[in-house]
Amino acid sequence: AQKVTQAQTEISVVEKEDVTLDCVYETRDTTYYLFWYKQPPSGELVFLIRRNSFDEQNEISGRYSWNFQKSTSSFNFTITASQVVDSAVYFCALSGPMNRDDKIIFGKGTRLHILP
Amino acid sequence: DGGITQSPKYLFRKEGQNVTLSCEQNLNHDAMYWYRQDPGQGLRLIYYSQIVNDFQKGDIAEGYSVSREKKESFPLTVTSAQKNPTAFYLCASRGGWGHKIDRSTNEKLFFGSGTQLSVL
């Protein structure tokens, strides 16, 4: 069975600090996809990144970076020099291979507060 | 602009009443999903559909029903059997396994802006 665990329910940091959001997943599939989404107060989920199971390269996009480690089944997300606008709920998600079951499973989310 | 439209933004249900949440997409996506969001629970999958005229139960399908008569539309009915319907409902779509034009975005979910359902 697939499972996504975001152990951090809520995190508060002061602006300009770095913060890492943890995501641990479970799957029996050899091909799978991992995602991060941001949910600002408006409610609509915003796509941040997709990573497939064969690509273990870490990725950086501006102040955002992602660390994918298959050995520990983790896909952690780091915000560098955090800003107040980063305050939101962040979800990690997992999907199986596209040619079969199209279910996408989400973690419970981490609520991030960036304090001015 | 292509996207997903959910309506209404706010909906109120009386005891014993069925209500239907609308979800329309013009992205030509095959797969569509309904999620329920409760505080501290994250997103839980209610129903999903990979193709027209076919759909599968998710993790919390009891008390809900769906239809997929058109590719663009995936309405969700919250029936009177759903005893705790108050939640934020999100509809999503993605290319699906038959949508091979743009593999770089096939796996990505596109979300609507959500419907907040409350019980009167």
Side-chain angles (χ1 to χ4, degrees):
Chain A
Q2 293 180 325
K3 185 178 179 182
V4 176
T5 302
Q6 295 180 255
Q8 304 150 307
T9 303
E10 203 158 343
I11 300 175
S12 294
V13 299
V14 177
E15 196 173 20
K16 298 184 183 176
E17 288 185 356
D18 299 347
V19 58
T20 296
L21 309 182
D22 297 333
C23 174
V24 175
Y25 63 92
E26 295 176 28
T27 181
R28 295 179 182 172
D29 294 320
T30 53
T31 299
Y32 53 89
Y33 298 90
L34 294 161
F35 307 81
W36 275 95
Y37 282 85
K38 174 182 180 180
Q39 186 180 40
S42 61
E44 185 170 344
L45 269 75
V46 178
F47 170 82
L48 296 177
I49 191 171
R50 172 198 66 119
R51 173 67 72 228
N52 73 54
S53 52
F54 297 106
D55 182 1
E56 288 195 69
Q57 278 192 335
N58 292 327
E59 182 156 340
I60 298 175
S61 176
R63 297 183 296 107
Y64 296 171
S65 62
W66 290 269
N67 183 1
F68 176 32
Q69 294 201 347
K70 287 180 75 171
S71 60
T72 56
S73 297
S74 65
F75 187 43
N76 297 338
F77 172 33
T78 297
I79 301 175
T80 303
S82 61
Q83 300 177 1
V84 172
V85 293
D86 296 327
S87 297
V89 181
Y90 290 86
F91 291 97
C92 180
L94 168 69
S95 168
M98 283 289 293
N99 60 350
R100 197 202 66 190
D101 189 345
D102 257 0
K103 286 174 66 172
I104 299 176
I105 304 300
F106 284 77
K108 292 188 176 183
T110 297
R111 183 174 295 277
L112 178 62
H113 300 279
I114 308 298
L115 308 173
Chain B
D1 284 338
I4 300 180
T5 302
Q6 286 188 246
S7 61
K9 191 169 180 63
Y10 300 97
L11 185 59
F12 297 91
R13 193 192 90 166
K14 295 180 181 178
E15 290 284 340
Q17 185 182 45
N18 292 355
V19 292
T20 298
L21 284 60
S22 171
C23 178
E24 304 277 333
Q25 54 100 357
N26 60 4
L27 300 165
N28 198 32
H29 283 171
D30 292 312
M32 296 187 73
Y33 306 78
W34 274 106
Y35 289 90
R36 169 177 170 145
Q37 185 177 17
D38 296 277
Q41 292 291 325
L43 275 66
R44 293 184 290 169
L45 183 62
I46 305 172
Y47 268 99
Y48 62 110
S49 167
Q50 297 178 19
I51 199 167
V52 175
N53 292 322
D54 185 46
F55 49 82
Q56 290 80 39
K57 292 182 180 179
D59 300 317
I60 55 166
E62 186 174 348
Y64 300 97
S65 66
V66 293
S67 63
R68 187 85 187 278
E69 297 176 2
K70 298 187 301 181
K71 189 175 187 178
E72 302 79 20
S73 179
F74 192 41
L76 173 73
T77 297
V78 184
T79 74
S80 56
Q82 173 49 247
K83 298 306 180 187
N84 185 22
T86 297
F88 188 58
Y89 292 85
L90 283 159
C91 179
S93 72
R94 71 174 179 176
W97 72 283
H99 196 258
K100 300 188 188 301
I101 295 174
D102 185 354
R103 291 290 299 180
S104 66
T105 62
N106 264 6
E107 302 85 6
K108 172 183 163 183
L109 272 178
F110 291 77
F111 281 88
S113 56
T115 294
Q116 176 65 48
L117 175 62
S118 303
V119 177
L120 290 175

